[in-house]
Amino acid sequence: MGNAEHGTNYYVKIYVTLLAAIAAVIIIGPIVGHFAVIMAAALVIAVYKASFFMHLNVEKHWIWLFLITALICLFALFFGSAKDIMMDEGVSWKRCNAINEQNRERIAEQTHHVAEKRPDLAGIALPPGVDCVKQRF
Amino acid sequence: MSFDSSIAAGRSTTGIPNGRLAMWTLLASEIVIFGGLVASYLLYRFHNAYWAVEASHTNVVTGATNAFILLTSSLLIVLAQNAAEAGDGKKAAKLMLATVGGGFLFLAVKSYEYIHEIQHGFTIGANPFWSFYYTATAIHSSHVVAGMIAIYIVSLGAAKGKNLQRVELCGIYWHFVDLVWILLFPLLYIVK
């Protein structure tokens, strides 16, 4: 696929660029610490590699249709299942462990808040609230 | 089963050689496999803050070493493609065998890492983060093994100057395997 017109130096230059970019992600990534920024940088490196090592930059355009179709399927999977995974309660289901944990955290926070405002009431625990119980819908 | 001849090898009804078209089709399906893994990771990662703490136990040095090894082997296979296009099958075969060597190195480093993690109690059943970690890296490693086998078989033909067009197909696949590691590496090792 048009490889032969490029010499060894051409590919070595791309290799060095990729190596430097990955090194930058390794060194700067933990300093930046932002999830989206690090993953965006990795994605840019991946696209650069696909363009020049896999020759996508000179490939027939409709090959992109294959790849874009796969990405559409992927997004459908992501957004189709995101709600079920990210939420604790749906139309016919609830995730009791997560709900109960959140309840416990909320009560602990309220108890701490009361103890700060009214030291005389410190040690008196608030009622635990109603635990979520798994149900068969 | 013979690897020496294929009926469709010389055909190109779409303007793209059929072999290459098949490889891109395969990779499109691989995008869904690995993309699905990454998507699930992101969903659970956003929902479970403690995954960041678990991720801090992965070894960045071994992950980076593997990134370096796979990238170097990618360079070797693209140079093999270059040699194959220039008609130098023997040089292509040597570079392909060096690529297979890179695959062995990758697996050796990964095995060392697995042993180290398991010894410290980070097993596949430790918690969902480690389940994901082992599933994703093992699926990736199985692709590395598949690539090594394919490259070795094609290199046997290339050494005799046969079916040199297959070198490019191996190259596209191997670059994809490296590309997946470029995405898995920051996801599992760098982002805390």
Side-chain angles (χ1 to χ4, degrees):
Chain A
M1 171 89 221
N3 257 14
E5 67 251 33
H6 298 303
T8 303
N9 285 346
Y10 172 79
Y11 291 109
V12 170
K13 275 180 194 165
I14 294 168
Y15 168 74
V16 171
T17 309
L18 286 167
L19 214 55
I22 291 173
V25 169
I26 294 167
I27 296 163
I28 301 169
I31 299 166
V32 175
H34 201 280
F35 194 98
V37 174
I38 296 171
M39 288 317 296
L43 208 59
V44 168
I45 295 171
V47 170
Y48 181 78
K49 185 177 191 291
S51 299
F52 294 102
F53 270 11
M54 296 170 90
H55 303 111
L56 258 180
N57 57 338
V58 289
E59 189 60 272
K60 296 258 182 214
H61 288 304
W62 64 271
I63 281 290
W64 285 92
L65 275 181
F66 274 60
L67 305 178
I68 289 168
T69 306
L71 285 173
I72 289 170
C73 290
L74 187 60
F75 280 112
L77 173 80
F78 186 91
F79 291 108
S81 60
K83 194 183 166 192
D84 286 353
I85 294 166
M86 303 294 281
M87 294 178 75
D88 292 329
E89 204 167 344
V91 177
S92 58
W93 58 272
K94 54 172 115 172
R95 206 189 325 268
C96 279
N97 288 348
I99 292 170
N100 288 337
E101 194 178 330
Q102 280 172 14
N103 279 343
R104 279 192 290 276
E105 279 174 10
R106 183 173 49 78
I107 298 235
E109 199 177 313
Q110 284 173 354
T111 307
H112 180 70
H113 186 68
V114 168
E116 272 185 351
K117 296 268 180 191
R118 295 279 308 273
D120 54 311
L121 293 178
I124 299 173
L126 287 172
V130 181
D131 262 10
C132 164
V133 180
K134 281 184 184 170
Q135 295 171 20
R136 191 176 291 274
F137 288 92
Chain B
M1 185 176 169
S2 168
F3 291 105
D4 287 339
S5 61
S6 70
I7 297 166
R11 294 182 189 167
S12 175
T13 49
T14 55
I16 299 172
N18 284 354
R20 202 161 77 223
L21 188 63
M23 181 52 70
W24 281 113
T25 311
L26 172 76
L27 294 190
S29 68
E30 296 281 356
I31 286 176
V32 180
I33 294 172
F34 284 105
L37 269 172
V38 171
S40 338
Y41 178 85
L42 293 178
L43 289 171
Y44 279 97
R45 171 76 170 71
F46 292 143
H47 198 65
N48 299 288
Y50 78 91
W51 279 36
V53 180
E54 294 296 332
S56 68
H57 296 300
T58 53
N59 191 336
V60 180
V61 176
T62 52
T65 307
N66 268 344
F68 171 73
I69 290 168
L70 276 189
L71 194 59
T72 307
S73 66
S74 254
L75 173 69
L76 294 172
I77 197 84
V78 85
L79 294 179
Q81 271 175 257
N82 229 11
E85 285 200 13
D88 191 347
K90 283 191 175 164
K91 187 181 175 188
K94 281 179 191 167
L95 287 163
M96 289 174 90
L97 289 177
T99 306
V100 173
F104 274 118
L105 262 179
F106 175 88
L107 293 174
V109 173
K110 199 76 220 146
S111 304
Y112 163 79
E113 198 182 353
Y114 276 168
I115 292 166
H116 192 260
E117 280 154 357
I118 290 167
Q119 279 175 344
H120 284 79
F122 302 120
T123 57
I124 192 165
N127 61 48
F129 171 83
W130 289 100
S131 299
F132 177 86
Y133 169 86
Y134 283 106
T135 305
T137 53
I139 290 176
H140 177 260
S141 296
S142 69
H143 280 75
V144 170
V145 173
M148 286 163 65
I149 294 168
I151 291 170
Y152 177 70
I153 291 170
V154 172
S155 75
L156 296 178
K160 295 172 191 164
K162 289 180 185 171
N163 293 314
L164 291 178
Q165 81 282 359
R166 290 179 182 172
V167 178
E168 186 195 9
L169 308 184
C170 287
I172 293 174
Y173 179 83
W174 195 255
H175 294 315
F176 178 79
V177 169
D178 179 33
L179 204 134
V180 170
W181 187 253
I182 287 174
L183 292 175
L184 281 182
F185 170 56
L187 200 65
L188 296 173
Y189 294 80
I190 296 177
V191 176
K192 307 293 186 198

